Amino acid sequence: MATIPETTSKGKTVSDAWDFNGRPAVRSETGGWTSAAMILGVELCERLTTLGIAVNLVTYLTGTMHLGSAVSANAVTNFLGTSFLLCLLGGFVADSFLGRYLTIAVFTTVQAIGVSILTISTVAPGLRPPTCTNGDCVPANGTQLGVLYLGLYVTALGTGGVKSSVSGFGSDQFDETDESERRRMLRFFSWFFFCISFGSLLAVTVLVYIQDNLGRVWGYGICAVAILAGLAVFLSGTTRYRIKKLAGSPLTQVASVVVAAWRNRGLQMPSDASTLYDVDAGEKGRSKTKLPHTKEFRFLDRAAIIDGSTDCSPPSQTKWRLTTLTDVEEVKQVIRMLPIWATTIMFWTVYAQMTTFSVSQAAVMDRRIAGSTFRIPAGSLTAFLVASILLAVPVYDRLILPIARRLTSNPHGLAPLQRIFLGLVLSILTMTVSAVIELKRLRAAKRGITPSVFLLVPQFLLVGAGEAFIYIGQLDFFLKECPKGMKTMSTGLFLSTLSLGFFLSSALVTVVHMATAKSAKGAWLADDLNKGRLYDFYWLLALLSAANLVAFLVAAKGYVYKEERMAAEEDGGVHGAEMVEEACFQA
């Protein structure tokens, strides 16, 4: 095989990227906006499909499949939670086996299969229960629910794989070492957020309207066609993509450090941390930045203890017996982030109510516009949430940011934890307002009045503004604070909070429904909302959110940003490779 001259690669090819044929990627022929636009097309179709299914699913489960409100709400949150949780699996597969390009191609195909199964389940008569007769409704049987859930969770598997890789693969199309391409990469993330928002807006307006007025088969069929079209556009750019080599999963690194520390638990901890095993940056192909030793979580330091009874040369020691101090410190950094990570989960539990019970509320309210015959689909109320997100970004940029700069002397305005704080505060306000609105709706219903659906708008606007703050704050926090050697971990940590938030919602709904179903005062989450006490559930979420906010403040107060900690710890000394070699020789 002919080798490529050194002069050819310099300036004309990208140093760490290859084309689809395994050759160094030529800068002028690969990557850039042409490639990025094709990747953005996949994300737009994915968002349209996933949200188009989820946002209106609760009305299909209650109205067509004749399931209870609590069961239907849990089905929606479990579907969304699984979609985000499977991003961890997708990221592992991409980092360790397939790479981001093949991961997107394979899992987009899987998503298309899932949506196709879902479409079939809505059109085949035998896969739906009969319509209600004189108020007598027969719930869907096991086979009917089995096919429906098969379509949902195959779709969730595809969604997880696509989400895990699409943003990273898009950023791979720009060379961070080139100033002009780095600026274009920053613009890519702006357009990435725009595509997510635009896809969401189409899903909660056009797609939901089609589902309610033309039929689910048309709505889900459009989703299947859209995801296949996105796949076709993505594959058409194959020859232009820049592809990075497999870097290995950060989950494997975390596991290897923990296992090595446990296996070395019997070894004596050295008094001098400079004797712990480490290597110089760049040594043997190593691209990580060397990190100074920290005194927290000392047990993990055992993973870098050199066992004097064996050969000290790294080739003789597997990563499951001996890891570098830098790998250990990267795992420590992830552990430091976990309290912040845990206290952001509750926001997404609040957010989950906007796609479940808030949609159920909208379904029993007057959805006409100004007395006309046109009725807004219940699921389309989520459009106010999306609009609030889109409005909150420029409001922050034009109003809040300049004020924050003057008050904090920080050129970046609010720090990531401050943004997260605002998002959590807004989640408390959301549930408080939701409880008050539900009480007002119930009082009107008891008087025989059906209030306007626009009464629900404030709770959608509040949670949308909260999402804008906490989404950007979380993304900024995880991207900046995650070690450079564990970049994909940042996306996984962020998306896992969404997943766990939806699952926590399902757990709370189940517990509350079981605890109040036989209550003398009536079930909180009754199938007929007019006979339930949904407002008490909202009050419960408000109280839990307030307690969570206190926990967040405690965690945030004790957290030191990575840059500040690194600056302070680097004064404590640097571990040289020569000292490690000497320690190994003496052992």
Side-chain angles (χ1 to χ4, degrees):
M1 181 182 293
T3 58
I4 298 178
E6 189 71 24
T7 54
T8 303
S9 63
K10 187 176 181 180
K12 295 183 179 179
T13 61
V14 182
S15 59
D16 61 343
W18 287 259
D19 63 18
F20 187 72
N21 294 314
R23 299 171 297 194
V26 179
R27 188 180 299 275
S28 61
E29 298 177 1
T30 60
W33 272 114
T34 302
S35 300
M38 297 176 180
I39 298 168
L40 288 174
V42 172
E43 176 56 24
L44 190 151
C45 293
E46 179 277 318
R47 187 67 171 180
L48 172 71
T49 299
T50 304
L51 196 59
I53 292 171
V55 75
N56 209 26
L57 182 59
V58 70
T59 60
Y60 180 73
L61 294 175
T62 55
T64 302
M65 305 302 282
H66 307 150
L67 302 182
S69 59
V71 174
S72 299
N74 281 354
V76 176
T77 50
N78 288 340
F79 165 66
L80 288 171
T82 303
S83 298
F84 289 113
L85 186 64
L86 287 172
C87 291
L88 295 174
L89 173 64
F92 178 78
V93 170
D95 291 337
S96 303
F97 302 105
L98 297 182
R100 289 170 177 163
Y101 167 80
L102 284 177
T103 298
I104 294 173
V106 170
F107 281 92
T108 303
T109 304
V110 171
Q111 188 178 26
I113 294 172
V115 179
S116 298
I117 295 173
L118 195 60
T119 305
I120 293 171
S121 74
T122 63
V123 69
L127 296 179
R128 289 171 295 156
T131 56
C132 298
T133 305
N134 298 324
D136 185 18
C137 301
V138 179
N141 59 38
T143 301
Q144 292 163 343
L145 289 177
V147 175
L148 175 68
Y149 288 149
L150 176 64
L152 285 175
Y153 286 101
V154 171
T155 301
L157 175 62
T159 299
V162 174
K163 278 186 176 295
S164 68
S165 299
V166 69
S167 60
F169 192 55
S171 65
D172 287 346
Q173 307 312 306
F174 303 94
D175 183 7
E176 291 188 64
T177 63
D178 183 88
E179 181 63 28
S180 62
E181 290 204 22
R182 184 164 61 249
R183 288 196 299 267
R184 279 182 280 171
M185 183 175 68
L186 294 176
R187 290 176 58 201
F188 166 79
F189 285 113
S190 297
W191 281 104
F192 181 78
F193 185 74
F194 173 82
C195 285
I196 289 176
S197 301
F198 184 64
S200 301
L201 193 61
L202 287 177
V204 302
T205 53
V206 177
L207 204 56
V208 169
Y209 179 82
I210 291 173
Q211 290 173 3
D212 281 4
N213 291 274
L214 297 182
R216 297 282 168 158
V217 62
W218 284 98
Y220 294 159
I222 289 173
C223 288
V225 172
I227 203 67
L228 286 172
L231 176 62
V233 171
F234 176 76
L235 294 177
S236 67
T238 297
T239 58
R240 287 200 54 87
Y241 293 136
R242 294 175 184 174
I243 300 174
K244 302 291 182 72
K245 285 186 175 180
L246 298 179
S249 173
L251 295 176
T252 303
Q253 179 182 331
V254 173
S256 65
V257 168
V258 173
V259 169
W262 176 255
R263 295 179 70 176
N264 293 342
R265 65 189 182 279
L267 301 179
Q268 184 177 0
M269 183 74 72
S271 58
D272 185 359
S274 64
T275 61
L276 296 172
Y277 174 68
D278 209 351
V279 293
D280 285 333
E283 183 177 343
K284 297 182 179 180
R286 185 179 177 83
S287 58
K288 292 185 179 181
T289 301
K290 203 170 177 184
L291 299 177
H293 176 259
T294 59
K295 295 181 180 180
E296 297 173 288
F297 314 115
R298 289 294 304 275
F299 174 77
L300 295 178
D301 290 346
R302 295 182 181 277
I305 296 178
I306 301 168
D307 186 357
S309 63
T310 61
D311 184 2
C312 286
S313 59
S316 68
Q317 297 279 7
T318 69
K319 63 183 179 181
W320 302 99
R321 172 67 73 177
L322 177 66
T323 64
T324 66
L325 182 60
T326 293
D327 284 343
V328 171
E329 290 300 325
E330 287 183 342
V331 174
K332 286 183 180 182
Q333 174 56 20
V334 173
I335 295 175
R336 292 186 189 99
M337 297 166 63
L338 291 182
I340 302 297
W341 168 83
T343 50
T344 58
I345 293 172
M346 192 63 205
F347 175 87
W348 299 106
T349 300
V350 170
Y351 177 90
Q353 311 316 310
M354 300 303 111
T355 58
T356 54
F357 289 115
S358 291
V359 176
S360 296
Q361 287 175 283
V364 296
M365 299 175 76
D366 184 2
R367 291 180 276 120
R368 294 175 297 173
I369 298 179
S372 66
T373 57
F374 177 78
R375 301 178 70 198
I376 301 173
S380 290
L381 263 291
T382 315
F384 289 101
L385 187 153
V386 178
S388 181
I389 295 172
L390 296 176
L391 182 62
V393 173
V395 167
Y396 173 81
D397 188 56
R398 297 297 179 182
L399 296 178
I400 300 177
L401 182 59
I403 296 174
R405 283 173 175 169
R406 287 196 296 268
L407 293 177
T408 64
S409 300
N410 184 347
H412 302 293
L414 296 177
L417 293 181
Q418 291 171 329
R419 289 190 178 191
I420 293 173
F421 169 77
L422 288 178
L424 294 178
V425 169
L426 286 170
S427 72
I428 299 173
L429 290 176
T430 298
M431 286 295 94
T432 302
V433 170
S434 298
V436 173
I437 288 174
E438 175 61 8
L439 276 169
K440 186 175 181 179
R441 188 195 69 80
L442 274 178
R443 292 192 186 105
K446 289 178 180 179
R447 297 196 304 268
I449 301 172
T450 304
S452 171
V453 75
F454 292 104
L455 188 65
L456 301 177
V457 169
Q459 62 199 56
F460 282 96
L461 293 178
L462 282 171
V463 82
E467 182 184 358
F469 282 109
I470 203 166
Y471 189 104
I472 297 173
Q474 279 185 286
L475 201 57
D476 194 13
F477 175 77
F478 289 123
L479 284 173
K480 287 183 178 179
E481 296 302 298
C482 255
K484 291 183 179 179
M486 305 174 74
K487 278 188 174 181
T488 54
M489 180 69 77
S490 61
T491 302
L493 284 172
F494 169 53
L495 293 176
S496 66
T497 63
L498 279 74
S499 172
L500 293 175
F502 287 117
F503 284 132
L504 178 58
S505 176
S506 296
L508 286 173
V509 168
T510 300
V511 171
V512 168
H513 188 60
M514 290 177 62
T516 65
K518 298 181 180 180
S519 171
K521 294 183 179 180
W524 287 13
L525 307 175
D527 292 342
D528 184 350
L529 291 183
N530 292 336
K531 297 179 180 178
R533 297 163 60 195
L534 180 60
Y535 57 87
D536 278 336
F537 184 63
Y538 286 161
W539 284 126
L540 174 64
L541 289 176
L543 289 174
L544 291 176
S545 297
N548 179 74
L549 179 63
V550 174
F552 170 80
L553 290 173
V554 173
K557 184 178 180 180
Y559 188 84
V560 180
Y561 285 107
K562 184 173 68 175
E563 289 184 0
E564 299 172 9
R565 191 179 61 256
M566 290 281 291
E569 290 169 352
E570 283 180 349
D571 295 335
V574 180
H575 306 285
E578 298 84 359
M579 299 180 70
V580 175
E581 291 172 2
E582 182 181 356
C584 185
F585 175 76
Q586 291 175 351

